[in-house]
């Protein structure tokens, strides 16, 4: 993902939520109005803990990805924080006689797993247990199944919480909750409370690509309505029915949190990651600060002011908690991190992908497609260098339901990322891997009749699209060989669900090429007519790639296989198309100045002394080379970079791991300055088509060669 500013709303609300939790434990309005304090602490502030659960789920839980490494790291970090918090409160536990209680061992185990060893620490074990339940529910059942499972758990917990006195009139139900009470003092825990909100957070994360800022007003209205309904629910349960055993779990809390989180996602700005640590520290230490304020009130004989006045008490506890938290974060920032190197430090070289531009290109391409036609996103070769994971996840979030790859390995990787749409393998797959094709629900291209027979002999039911050779003479059954095509349709184990061809010169508007392309289209449709006439269901039909759509948008097919245009560029900068649309490049390639050296007139730089200075100059070394995908043909001024808004030439030969650029004319050049080698500005001389042209290639090749060792942002 690009370095765009985002999630500022989440970061800010972390701090707000922390102070709401302080309010729960200090009742700031109690001195004036019990009703007002009830609304604040028992309704509004009840959004705080679910928000933290949703935030954890947002950044942790996704159907996209098969590795549990993030879960393990989350559990490890939370366990360390929990252990530290337990140690912090041991003195108060001793003072309160915690360790002198009867049945200490079973109570201690119960507290460690569910209730927390101090009244507010239940959140930490609940986070760990809830994360495990939510993670595996999503992995095994997807989000729909996980929401059902965790929703049922939430209802069970809610009935034993806010609705307890109502449902406990039935002896069997009361017995059930009494039994649960022997395991955990509250149903507000990691089994019944946390999982639903964590799944909900992950669900929103996987759909954040579809989030539109324009919907924020609607979300605010729905949040306000949900909060009002939750207030009515709480007042009804508390005052009219006295039904609450606890008051943490409400029916309307779920939609309230859903719409609140959607609102927060609309607020973008600079990320304040330190607020994560600050809010957590406030949460952990505020009971300690309550003790400090009360002790100070006794010592200074200011009890009526610091404690008797609930608002002052709240402000004092909040101030001390925040001061301690910010000081701790500041100190840890100084001593907990190694000193930065000179310059701006950080990365060697990286790719930035702007997923907002990707979304724009999807919309633009759909805008000229025929009604009923769907986009098939070509994400082979790491999505043309953009990163298959990031790209495919974003595209599926945008409603793309069909993908094309080149190899079975690429298809399997998409499935393991969690992609659920159709995946067509455009290239060859060994027939002996038929079981993998079936297992991962991949669609295999039938490249000729002999290949189809070999695949059929595996006796494994495999989905397939038949490739038709209409004149490119690469893969496919000849368009005139209707008998072979129909034999494939008739095979028992190969389930043909589509048929397609490829237009080999649809990128050209040369009259001869246009005539050839139209002849390909005619041959393809003539075959389709014969197949349908003979009683076969052709399945999904597709023949257009990016240029096929831009130059022949009138063709009526089921899919358009969009590749290079999806990523916001054309193959060559001077390509003309019949239906130009606004495309926005998705990828930019960047590095940082690692070294600046003075080179005297007459001295040479690099291999073969290919560059000799014609003046005294400054040369910047960029730690990126042809191993990272920068073509060696961009050596000796053929290549360019942009530093501090100035375009500078590549001097000498592009090396495997480094490039030299002449920065003599760049003012205030410094180590750590960012250098752009491929720009996402379509008007820039550094955009992919221009760079590809200078390297005597096309954008497709240039982008696909981006090295695997580059970090993607």
């Amino acid at each position: 993902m690009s370095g765009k500013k985002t999630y500022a709303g989440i970061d800010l609300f972390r701090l707000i939520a922390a102070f709401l939790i302080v309010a729960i434990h200090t009742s700031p309005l109690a001195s004036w109005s019990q009703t007002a304090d009830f609304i604040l602490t028992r309704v509004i502030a009840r959004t705080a803990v679910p928000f933290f659960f949703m935030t954890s789920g947002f950044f942790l839980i996704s159907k996209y990805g098969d590795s549990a490494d993030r879960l393990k790291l989350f559990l490890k970090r939370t366990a360390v924080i929990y252990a530290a918090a337990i140690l912090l409160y041991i003195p108060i536990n001793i003072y309160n006689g915690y360790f002198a209680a009867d049945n200490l061992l079973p109570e201690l185990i119960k507290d460690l797993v569910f209730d927390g060893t101090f009244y507010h620490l239940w959140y930490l074990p609940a986070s760990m247990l809830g994360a495990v339940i939510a993670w595996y529910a999503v992995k095994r059942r997807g989000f729909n199944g996980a929401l059902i499972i965790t929703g049922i758990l939430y209802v069970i917990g809610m009935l034993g919480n806010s609705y307890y006195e109502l449902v406990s009139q039935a002896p069997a139900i009361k017995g059930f909750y009494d039994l649960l009470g022997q395991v955990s003092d509250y149903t507000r825990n990691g089994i019944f409370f946390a999982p639903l909100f964590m799944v909900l957070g992950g669900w929103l994360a996987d759909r954040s690509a579809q989030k539109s800022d324009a919907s924020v007003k609607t979300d605010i209205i729905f949040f306000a309505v949900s909060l009002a309904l939750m207030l009515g629910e709480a007042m009804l349960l508390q005052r009219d029915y006295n039904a609450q055993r606890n008051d943490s779990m409400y029916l309307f809390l779920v939609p309230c949190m859903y719409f609140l989180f959607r609102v927060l996602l609309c607020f973008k700005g600079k990320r304040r990651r330190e607020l994560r640590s600050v809010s957590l520290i406030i949460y952990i230490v505020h009971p300690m600060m309550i003790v400090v304020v009360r002790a100070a009130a006794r010592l200074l004989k200011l009890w009526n002011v610091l404690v008797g006045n609930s608002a002052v008490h709240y402000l004092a506890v909040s101030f001390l908690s925040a001061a301690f938290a910010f000081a701790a974060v500041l100190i840890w920032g100084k001593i907990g991190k190694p000193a930065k190197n000179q310059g701006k430090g950080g990365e060697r070289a990286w790719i930035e992908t702007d997923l907002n531009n990707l979304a724009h290109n999807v919309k633009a391409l759909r805008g000229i497609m025929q009604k009923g036609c769907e986009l098939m996103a070509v994400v082979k070769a790491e999505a043309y260098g953009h990163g298959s994971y990031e790209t495919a996840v974003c595209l599926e979030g945008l409603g793309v339901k069909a993908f094309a790859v080149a190899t079975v390995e690429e298809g399997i990787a998409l499935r393991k990322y969690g992609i659920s749409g159709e995946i067509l393998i455009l290239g060859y797959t060994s027939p002996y891997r038929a079981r993998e094709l079936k297992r991962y629900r991949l669609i295999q291209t039938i490249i000729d009749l002999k290949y189809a027979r070999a695949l059929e002999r595996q006796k494994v039911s495999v989905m397939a699209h038949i490739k038709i050779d209409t004149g490119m003479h690469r893969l496919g059954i000849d368009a005139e060989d209707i008998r072979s095509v129909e034999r494939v349709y008739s095979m028992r184990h190969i389930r043909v669900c589509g048929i397609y061809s490829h237009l080999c010169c649809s990128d050209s508007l040369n009259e001869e090429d246009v005539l050839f392309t139209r002849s390909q289209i005619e041959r393809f449709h003539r075959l389709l007519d014969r197949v349908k006439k003979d009683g076969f269901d052709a399945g999904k039909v597709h023949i257009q790639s990016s240029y096929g759509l831009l130059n022949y948008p009138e063709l009526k097919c089921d899919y358009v296989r969009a590749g290079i245009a999806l990523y916001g560029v054309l193959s060559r900068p001077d390509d003309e198309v019949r239906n130009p649309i606004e495309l926005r490049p998705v990828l930019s390639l960047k590095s940082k100045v690692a070294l600046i050296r003075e080179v005297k007139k007459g001295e040479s730089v690099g291999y073969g002394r290919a560059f000799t200075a014609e003046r005294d100059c400054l040369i910047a070394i960029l730690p990126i080379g042809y191993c990272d995908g920068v073509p060696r043909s961009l050596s000796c001024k053929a290549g360019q970079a942009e530093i501090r808004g100035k375009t500078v030439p590549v001097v000498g030969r592009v090396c495997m791991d480094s490039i030299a650029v002449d920065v003599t004319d760049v003012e205030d050049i410094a180590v750590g300055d960012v250098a752009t080698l491929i720009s996402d500005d379509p008007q820039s001389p550094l955009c992919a088509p221009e760079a590809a042209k200078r390297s005597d290639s096309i954008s497709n090749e240039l982008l696909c060669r981006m090295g695997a060792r580059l970090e993607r942002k």
Side-chain angles (χ1 to χ4, degrees):
M1 194 174 283
S2 72
K4 298 289 183 184
K5 298 175 180 180
T6 185
Y7 304 143
I10 292 177
D11 289 337
L12 179 60
F13 199 80
R14 291 180 195 270
L15 198 58
I16 295 172
F19 288 126
L20 286 176
I21 289 171
V22 177
I24 292 174
H25 297 140
T26 56
S27 297
L29 302 181
S31 297
W32 287 272
S33 169
Q34 290 296 327
T35 299
D37 192 72
F38 177 84
I39 293 172
L40 173 63
T41 62
R42 296 301 181 261
V43 180
I44 296 174
R46 289 308 183 195
T47 62
V49 171
F51 162 77
F52 284 124
F53 287 140
M54 288 185 72
T55 300
S56 296
F58 185 84
F59 291 107
L60 172 68
I61 297 169
S62 172
K63 73 171 183 176
Y64 300 109
D66 63 324
S67 172
D69 290 344
R70 285 185 300 168
L71 176 63
K72 293 176 183 176
L73 182 60
F74 175 82
L75 295 177
K76 179 180 177 181
R77 287 178 174 174
T78 308
V80 170
I81 294 169
Y82 189 29
I86 290 173
L87 292 175
L88 178 67
Y89 283 96
I90 282 179
I92 297 181
N93 284 331
I94 294 174
Y95 178 79
N96 290 337
Y98 179 87
F99 296 104
D102 296 335
N103 302 314
L104 177 61
L105 182 59
E107 287 296 321
L108 182 60
I109 294 173
K110 181 173 72 171
D111 289 344
L112 286 172
V113 177
F114 293 108
D115 299 333
T117 58
F118 206 70
Y119 64 86
H120 71 306
L121 296 184
W122 69 272
Y123 167 78
L124 295 169
S127 294
M128 292 188 283
L129 186 56
V132 171
I133 293 172
W135 177 279
Y136 285 104
V138 170
K139 291 306 168 188
R140 298 290 179 86
R141 294 290 182 263
F143 275 116
N144 290 338
L147 286 170
I148 292 172
I149 292 169
T150 57
I152 292 172
L153 290 175
Y154 183 82
V155 170
I156 293 172
M158 182 182 68
L159 294 178
N161 189 279
S162 295
Y163 287 79
Y164 175 74
E165 295 299 335
L166 289 178
V167 301
S168 64
Q169 302 301 316
I173 295 177
K174 184 178 185 302
F176 170 73
Y177 285 110
D178 287 345
L179 184 63
L180 281 182
Q182 297 178 25
V183 179
S184 172
D185 290 340
Y186 308 96
T187 55
R188 174 215 61 189
N189 57 35
I191 296 178
F192 301 107
F193 190 27
L196 174 61
F197 293 107
M198 286 190 160
V199 171
L200 204 56
W203 188 78
L204 283 170
D206 278 354
R207 283 153 180 78
S208 60
Q210 303 177 65
K211 188 76 182 81
S212 170
D213 291 355
S215 65
V216 65
K217 292 182 179 179
T218 302
D219 289 333
I220 290 174
I221 292 172
F222 278 116
F223 165 66
V225 171
S226 299
L227 185 62
L229 290 171
M230 188 172 78
L231 172 61
E233 179 185 13
M235 299 290 283
L236 193 66
L237 291 170
Q238 177 69 13
R239 295 196 168 186
D240 293 1
Y241 292 102
N242 194 26
Q244 296 180 333
R245 186 181 194 180
N246 310 114
D247 50 15
S248 303
M249 303 173 71
Y250 296 106
L251 178 64
F252 286 104
L253 178 60
V254 178
C256 183
M257 294 311 305
Y258 172 78
F259 290 112
L260 171 61
F261 214 88
R262 281 178 58 91
V263 170
L264 295 176
L265 289 177
C266 290
F267 290 90
K268 297 177 173 61
K270 184 178 180 181
R271 291 225 58 190
R272 300 297 301 271
R273 296 178 186 273
E274 69 275 8
L275 293 183
R276 173 186 179 185
S277 299
V278 168
S279 61
L280 179 62
I281 294 172
I282 290 174
Y283 180 89
I284 291 175
V285 304
H286 78 273
M288 186 74 72
M289 297 307 157
I290 292 175
V291 174
V292 171
V293 170
R294 287 172 177 263
R298 291 185 185 279
L299 185 64
L300 300 174
K301 298 182 179 180
L302 295 173
W303 185 268
N304 289 336
V305 175
L306 292 177
V307 179
N309 187 313
S310 60
V312 174
H313 182 54
Y314 168 74
L315 292 174
V317 172
S318 296
F319 175 78
L320 288 179
S321 301
F324 182 92
F326 278 103
V329 169
L330 182 63
I331 293 170
W332 181 253
K334 295 290 186 182
I335 67 175
K337 297 180 181 179
K340 292 184 178 181
N341 297 325
Q342 64 164 332
K344 298 174 183 177
E347 306 88 341
R348 175 187 68 87
W350 66 96
I351 288 171
E352 289 184 5
T353 53
D354 189 331
L355 299 184
N356 292 322
N357 284 358
L358 181 64
H360 167 85
N361 296 336
V362 168
K363 183 178 181 180
L365 291 169
R366 283 172 169 166
I368 61 171
M369 289 164 49
Q370 292 291 315
K371 185 177 180 181
C373 184
E374 296 183 23
L375 187 68
M376 177 181 282
V378 182
V379 292
K380 61 184 179 179
E382 281 294 321
Y384 287 55
H386 294 68
S388 58
Y389 170 77
E390 298 87 345
T391 303
V393 167
C394 178
L395 290 170
E396 191 167 65
L398 292 167
V400 175
K401 300 177 182 178
F403 300 85
V405 296
T407 68
V408 65
E409 289 82 9
E410 291 177 335
I412 291 172
L414 290 186
R415 285 287 183 242
K416 288 187 174 181
Y417 293 153
I419 300 302
S420 57
E422 294 183 1
I423 300 175
L424 171 64
I425 300 173
L426 299 172
Y428 170 82
T429 300
S430 170
Y432 298 110
R433 304 188 71 172
R435 293 190 182 279
E436 289 178 276
L437 294 173
K438 179 180 179 181
R439 176 185 176 187
Y440 292 102
R441 297 179 290 108
L442 304 176
I443 303 171
Q444 176 57 45
T445 290
I446 301 299
I447 59 175
D448 69 357
L449 180 60
K450 183 178 180 180
Y451 176 80
R453 286 170 173 163
L455 194 58
E456 174 74 4
R457 284 196 295 270
Q458 306 309 309
K459 297 183 179 180
V460 176
S461 180
V462 172
M463 294 182 292
H465 282 201
I466 301 175
K467 178 73 175 287
I468 303 300
D469 178 13
T470 54
M472 188 172 184
H473 300 318
R474 189 174 60 178
L475 301 178
I477 300 174
D478 190 278
E480 307 303 323
D481 191 358
I482 182 64
R483 181 173 297 181
S484 293
V485 172
E486 293 184 346
R487 282 178 179 173
V488 177
Y489 273 105
S490 301
M491 288 181 177
R492 178 180 178 185
H493 298 291
I494 296 178
R495 295 187 291 131
V496 179
C497 51
I499 186 169
Y500 72 100
S501 187
H502 191 62
L503 304 175
C504 58
C505 55
S506 60
D507 57 336
S508 171
L509 295 182
N510 177 280
E511 184 177 355
E512 185 177 340
D513 291 332
V514 171
L515 289 174
F516 186 85
T517 299
R518 295 212 176 273
S519 72
Q520 282 190 280
I521 296 169
E522 289 174 8
R523 295 184 71 196
F524 183 61
H525 283 286
R526 192 160 57 241
L527 173 71
L528 286 178
D529 291 341
R530 179 68 183 274
V531 166
K532 295 175 182 178
K533 182 179 178 181
D534 291 344
F536 295 96
D537 180 3
K540 300 289 187 180
V541 174
H542 46 110
I543 193 171
Q544 298 155 292
S545 56
S546 293
Y547 281 96
L549 174 64
L550 295 172
N551 284 325
Y552 303 92
E554 71 277 3
L555 299 180
K556 294 184 178 180
C557 296
D558 295 300
Y559 289 129
V560 166
R561 302 186 307 272
I564 193 65
L566 186 64
Y567 305 106
V569 295
L570 298 180
S571 297
R572 292 163 294 270
D574 52 354
D575 278 346
E576 295 183 2
V577 294
R578 285 198 177 98
N579 289 271
I581 58 175
E582 182 194 357
L583 295 174
R584 298 177 184 174
V586 176
L587 178 147
S588 55
L589 176 64
K590 299 184 179 182
S591 184
K592 282 190 174 181
V593 174
L595 180 68
I596 299 172
R597 60 191 321 141
E598 296 180 359
V599 175
K600 301 296 184 182
K601 180 179 179 180
E603 292 181 341
S604 60
V605 175
Y607 284 116
R609 303 177 63 212
F611 168 78
T612 300
E614 297 177 354
R615 59 174 177 168
D616 292 346
C617 57
L618 288 179
I619 300 297
I621 305 300
L622 309 180
I624 184 173
Y626 59 73
C627 188
D628 300 299
V630 180
R632 192 169 182 270
S633 55
L634 289 179
S635 300
C636 302
K637 297 187 178 181
Q640 297 175 328
E642 182 182 285
I643 304 175
R644 290 184 175 266
K646 187 84 172 180
T647 301
V648 297
V650 172
V651 295
R653 293 176 181 165
V654 174
C655 304
M656 180 181 290
D657 308 302
S658 62
I659 294 173
V661 293
D662 186 346
V663 294
T664 308
D665 299 324
V666 180
E667 294 184 7
D668 301 322
I669 185 71
V671 169
D673 281 345
V674 174
T676 300
L677 290 98
I678 297 178
S679 173
D680 59 4
D681 179 359
Q683 306 304 321
S684 170
L686 299 176
C687 67
E690 292 286 354
K693 182 180 180 180
R694 290 195 301 273
S695 66
D696 195 26
S697 183
I698 59 174
S699 303
N700 312 51
E701 181 189 12
L702 178 69
L703 295 175
C704 289
R705 288 176 60 177
M706 295 295 104
R709 70 181 185 179
L710 287 175
E711 179 187 358
R712 289 186 175 88
K713 296 186 179 182

